[in-house]
Amino acid sequence: MQVLQVQLEVGPDPAEVGRARRWARKRLAGSGIGADEPLAETLVLLISELVTNAVVHTGCPAVLRMLFAAEGGVRVEVADNSAVPPRPRHAAGEDTNGRGLELVDGLADRWGWQPEGVGKSIWCEVDRAPDGPVPGEGLGSPGRVHC
């Protein structure tokens, strides 16, 4: 399996989330995933949630990586320098926070996390067939936590 990997360093500033989304859209288009495809919007939303979590909850710089498999699947990873594991929360009613990992769980085919260096990497995968996402084999091994 061939994999193309691209990455972006993200600073510990919430404004970096918008920059990460713009960067991701360009890389998705460059990989052949059109901006009007539902897959592109799903991936941009997943990236936005993972980068937001890294920036807001750790206050540390992060690295966003996208891995494109020749078979069409996409893996998104966000690595940061905090060893604190991700903790899914359950937002109630009108809460404006606490839905990020629930959203990732609902949109990605798989997600998890694993230790990386002094910190961790949170990842998610979306499978893609010629006509859109379908369940199937992943791009890599599962992380330590899988929901």
Side-chain angles (χ1 to χ4, degrees), residues 23-128:
W23 177 86
R25 282 188 179 100
K26 288 180 184 175
R27 297 313 169 280
L28 290 168
S31 76
I33 299 173
D36 59 341
E37 288 186 51
L39 176 61
E41 286 306 312
T42 297
L43 287 164
V44 169
L45 182 55
L46 289 166
I47 287 165
S48 184
E49 290 301 325
L50 293 180
V51 171
T52 297
N53 284 350
V55 169
V56 170
H57 296 296
T58 71
C60 300
V63 176
L64 164 62
R65 294 185 287 258
M66 290 193 301
L67 295 85
F68 298 93
E71 296 80 17
V74 180
R75 179 177 173 115
V76 173
E77 300 175 353
V78 176
D80 61 52
N81 290 327
S82 171
V84 176
R87 193 185 63 187
R89 299 181 320 187
H90 300 285
E94 301 296 317
D95 289 350
T96 57
N97 294 317
R99 291 182 172 83
L101 290 177
E102 285 182 346
L103 188 61
V104 170
D105 186 51
L107 292 175
D109 291 302
R110 287 162 301 287
W111 76 274
W113 75 278
Q114 60 206 28
E116 182 173 314
V118 298
K120 67 181 169 306
S121 174
I122 301 176
W123 59 268
C124 64
E125 295 175 342
V126 178
D127 299 327
R128 180 179 186 223

